[in-house]
Amino acid sequence: MPGARMVLEALKKEGVDVFFGLPGGAVLPIYDVLYDFEGLRHILVRQEAAAGHAAEGYARTTGKVGVCLVTSGPAATNLVTALQDAYMDSIPIVAFTGQVPTHLIGNDAFQEADNVGITRPCTKHNFLVKDGKDIGPIIREAFHIAATGRPGPVHVDLPKDVLVKEAEFVWPERVVLRSYNPTYEGHLGQIKKAARSLVRAKRPVLYVGGGVISSDAHGELAELAALTQIPVTTTLMGLGAFPSEDALSLGMLGMHGTYYSNMAVHHADVLVAIGARFDDRVTGKVEAFSPNSEIIHIDIDPSSISKNIKVHVPIVGDCRRVLRALLAAVREELASEVPVATREGRRAWQAQIAEWQTKFPLQYEWDDEVIKPQYVIEELSNLTQGEAYMVTGVGQHQMWAAQYYKFKHPRHWCTSGGLGTMGYGLPTAMGVQAAHPGKLVIDVDGDGSFAMNSQELATCFTERLPVKIVIINNSGHGMVRQWQRIIYKERYCAIDLPGIPDWVKLAEAYGCVGIRVSKPAEVVPAIEKMLSTPAPVILDVCVDKDECVFPMVPAGGANVDMILAPPSREVKEKAARSQTGF
Ligand SMILES: Cc1ncc(C[n+]2csc(CCOP(=O)(O)OP(=O)(O)O)c2C)c(N)n1
């Protein structure tokens, strides 16, 4: 079989139904086979990074491996941002690139780049295929490595001659890699130790990251929280792992986390990190992070343990399996007598958290004339009842979406957490829509971020991917403006994007629907119209450009040193009514 056919047969064997790509010389043999190949949908993107991000969206929301295919040289280098993005957020994708024929590698041939050299630091693993008989086994290994252990991107480089030549198609039934054996079961002794601490803690907090979502451990998490009545805070990547409206939910922690989650983590006596990696946006100043707690860390990646923060009870394993074992251990502990002091301590802790929640909720000042971005997200959340697949760009809008959308389900939230990639929104939303035809996919984007990949509107239109794009349009790079305002003393530089292009006209130019609103009263009808339109839509929402994301922990600061939003009228009135005042 020619190598090119083996690639597509291998994808089918791996259960791939859709993949994202853009052809060019080195991969033309594959596209030639694709011409009449059945059972695989190919989505033609307009720039290669978009193929990578679309594969990320597909993977994150299905739990399956996302796939993309691009040609050699500039196509491969275009893909690098998406690979690094997937690497930092632990998203399983397999990315294929074309390569010049093997005898030309290293000759500075046309469209040659050292693909495996370039992708080595931004992939979990990579392969250069040198012989057709290796294609099957390599693809099998690539999918296995991407999806197991801590998930991540794997890159396969395919020289053109290997794609053209015929060889035997080898398909191993099982993958055995001697040097790669992720640990799934946690150490029972450590799990019992964690259970003892958890049950006896007076001020415990569960700190939950994206690992809970990738290991499908949300059910076990809900059970643990309900059984122990311990409050739950999530990272940006962990949103959706625990329902936002659950009474135990503290929302997001960290730089733009809620006041009460940061306070709770700071004052905790036992902190259980589950599938989270103590990212600097979460910890703030490390010496001041949760200074008096015993830290239990559950993670599948041993290299994450004590990397940024020293932990006291490390448990390496799959979050779901460890949580199951932890639940059993906690039940055993609960069967024994729990000290009265613990129960009383817990009541005081719950009261303290409730007080923080009333004192400093997420808040913003309403304005009858200007649209507040937070209001747009609140209404999106209401009108979709938290059921939409939500994707974002990077910036203020991303943080408002994280703070104000009421997440109900796991695998419904895609955002660039680790890398913070502007331009991630639209292509990722496209991948989500391709994976879930007929479902509602919303890309909440910034005008700056959206501009970085707006060419993908063409893909949305031609491939019938009716993504809804809500541009939180503040005529500029809002997050940069916020930093220049707060940290650089209002010396505004290189942040203005003054209404160009006209997003409604741009939508129309691509065959999509454009709607613009600039008054608060127009927001709900416009969202309703967007939701009932079967085509891709851009809803251009002109918002207050002076609005800032609060709370905010300035970079390098301690999480308790948050800059808070000025109290809203509602909160002031509540405070005046309360007997103690605050
Ligand atoms: C590719 C890339 N370039 C630059 C940045 C730095 N950066 C972070 S947020 C931001 C501004 C984002 O503006 P916009 O998308 O309009 O969102 P807003 O903050 O206004 O909501 C910039 C330039 C980045 N994160 N990614």
Side-chain angles (χ1 to χ4, degrees):
M1 190 188 289
R5 179 166 291 278
M6 288 185 207
V7 172
L8 296 186
E9 292 291 353
L11 293 187
K12 249 169 88 168
K13 280 185 175 290
E14 285 292 347
V16 176
D17 52 353
V18 53
F19 68 114
F20 308 88
L22 201 160
V27 288
L28 280 183
I30 300 180
Y31 279 86
D32 189 54
V33 179
L34 187 64
Y35 176 76
D36 49 10
F37 195 85
E38 290 194 353
L40 271 178
R41 180 179 182 195
H42 173 268
I43 291 184
L44 172 63
V45 300
R46 299 302 190 267
Q47 208 268 18
E48 289 82 0
H53 292 313
E56 286 190 87
Y58 177 96
R60 176 123 173 111
T61 57
T62 58
K64 289 162 58 180
V65 175
V67 179
C68 58
L69 164 67
V70 307
T71 190
S72 63
T77 55
N78 272 351
L79 192 63
V80 168
T81 301
L83 292 177
Q84 178 68 10
D85 194 275
Y87 192 44
M88 293 196 75
D89 286 342
S90 308
I91 308 295
I93 65 172
V94 172
F96 295 93
T97 55
Q99 183 54 277
V100 299
T102 41
H103 70 277
L104 286 181
I105 292 179
N107 270 26
D108 294 340
F110 177 64
Q111 292 198 325
E112 183 188 0
D114 176 7
N115 293 349
V116 284
I118 290 169
T119 66
R120 183 161 296 125
C122 57
T123 51
K124 186 172 170 187
H125 198 61
N126 64 3
F127 297 91
L128 169 64
V129 186
K130 295 192 198 118
D131 191 324
K133 70 174 185 342
D134 297 335
I135 288 181
I138 283 180
I139 293 181
R140 193 99 171 94
E141 280 179 26
F143 274 77
H144 175 74
I145 294 170
T148 51
R150 177 176 177 172
V154 178
H155 166 223
V156 181
D157 202 23
L158 299 163
K160 189 168 185 178
D161 54 327
V162 177
L163 294 175
V164 174
K165 262 189 266 168
E166 297 206 353
E168 187 195 346
F169 180 43
V170 181
W171 190 252
E173 275 316 306
R174 276 171 13 96
V175 180
V176 182
L177 297 170
R178 264 203 329 176
S179 55
Y180 173 73
N181 292 298
T183 305
Y184 288 97
E185 304 293 348
H187 186 282
L188 206 58
Q190 294 287 83
I191 292 174
K192 286 194 169 151
K193 208 165 154 189
R196 280 184 62 78
S197 295
L198 248 166
V199 168
R200 279 162 186 75
K202 297 193 178 89
R203 299 183 308 281
V205 175
L206 302 178
Y207 146 46
V208 166
V212 167
I213 294 177
S214 31
S215 65
D216 292 317
H218 51 281
E220 286 74 9
L221 171 68
E223 218 178 312
L224 182 68
L227 179 67
T228 56
Q229 288 298 299
I230 300 182
V232 180
T233 179
T234 71
T235 65
L236 181 66
M237 297 307 293
L239 290 169
F242 194 71
S244 308
E245 295 207 287
D246 191 294
L248 289 167
S249 171
L250 300 176
M252 186 171 73
L253 80 165
M255 181 178 269
H256 291 297
T258 58
Y259 172 79
Y260 34 93
S261 67
N262 282 338
M263 292 300 278
V265 168
H266 187 81
H267 292 280
D269 63 350
V270 173
L271 182 69
V272 192
I274 315 170
R277 61 185 177 86
F278 299 89
D279 172 80
D280 57 277
R281 288 298 193 256
V282 159
T283 60
K285 190 177 180 179
V286 287
E287 309 85 71
F289 179 75
S290 199
N292 301 314
S293 65
E294 179 186 28
I295 301 183
I296 298 162
H297 188 189
I298 303 168
D299 204 285
I300 193 140
D301 179 6
S303 77
S304 282
I305 304 282
S306 291
K307 184 174 182 170
N308 302 331
I309 294 279
K310 171 119 190 61
V311 301
H312 307 98
V313 187
I315 305 172
V316 175
D318 168 69
C319 289
R320 189 172 187 189
R321 296 198 204 180
V322 172
L323 284 184
R324 277 189 189 164
L326 185 61
L327 272 163
V330 165
R331 283 202 177 93
E332 247 175 59
E333 283 293 325
L334 286 173
S336 64
E337 196 59 34
V338 177
V340 178
T342 306
R343 269 187 261 132
E344 281 169 4
R346 281 290 185 89
R347 271 199 289 277
W349 183 230
Q350 280 157 3
Q352 172 66 82
I353 289 175
E355 190 192 324
W356 284 327
Q357 285 172 321
T358 341
K359 237 181 182 172
F360 296 112
L362 283 175
Q363 56 190 313
Y364 64 93
E365 195 60 88
W366 171 260
D367 192 312
D368 283 339
E369 292 306 314
V370 193
I371 300 176
K372 294 290 179 172
Q374 300 93 328
Y375 169 64
V376 182
I377 309 294
E378 279 178 339
E379 287 303 351
L380 271 176
S381 190
N382 290 340
L383 293 168
T384 60
Q385 293 175 6
E387 295 289 343
Y389 286 93
M390 294 289 287
V391 186
T392 72
V394 169
Q396 291 180 311
H397 63 279
Q398 175 190 29
M399 293 299 123
W400 286 315
Q403 291 177 333
Y404 286 88
Y405 197 82
K406 304 263 182 279
F407 297 93
K408 269 194 185 156
H409 309 293
R411 297 198 179 281
H412 277 57
W413 166 246
C414 298
T415 197
S416 175
L419 195 60
T421 309
M422 288 172 73
Y424 168 95
L426 179 59
T428 304
M430 250 159 49
V432 178
Q433 188 76 80
H436 306 278
K439 293 284 191 264
L440 178 62
V441 182
I442 301 179
D443 169 28
V444 172
D445 226 324
D447 43 337
S449 292
F450 183 71
M452 290 206 185
N453 266 322
S454 60
Q455 79 285 341
E456 297 307 321
L457 283 172
T459 312
C460 291
F461 178 77
T462 49
E463 296 282 348
R464 299 183 183 282
L465 300 169
V467 171
K468 313 295 180 235
I469 303 135
V470 178
I471 299 183
I472 303 294
N473 187 350
N474 48 14
S475 310
H477 289 144
M479 189 54 101
V480 182
R481 189 172 203 279
Q482 171 164 345
W483 281 52
Q484 290 183 348
R485 175 171 161 184
I486 296 173
I487 297 158
Y488 292 89
K489 304 194 170 78
E490 298 187 63
R491 288 162 59 86
Y492 296 123
C493 182
I495 44 161
D496 286 334
L497 304 167
I500 292 173
D502 177 325
W503 298 115
V504 171
K505 283 189 184 152
L506 190 87
E508 287 163 4
Y510 280 108
C512 307
V513 175
I515 311 169
R516 176 172 301 117
V517 292
S518 51
K519 292 272 173 270
E522 297 167 341
V523 170
V524 169
I527 295 177
E528 282 168 343
K529 184 170 171 205
M530 172 185 87
L531 296 179
S532 61
T533 305
V537 178
I538 289 185
L539 173 56
D540 179 17
V541 188
C542 305
V543 299
D544 182 357
K545 71 180 213 176
D546 287 325
E547 196 62 32
C548 285
V549 183
F550 292 122
M552 174 185 182
V553 179
N559 276 356
V560 275
D561 297 330
M562 284 166 269
I563 305 174
L564 297 168
S568 65
R569 200 179 315 150
E570 209 184 336
V571 170
K572 276 191 256 169
E573 283 167 10
K574 234 189 201 169
R577 280 199 306 273
S578 90
Q579 284 174 346
T580 51
F582 40 77

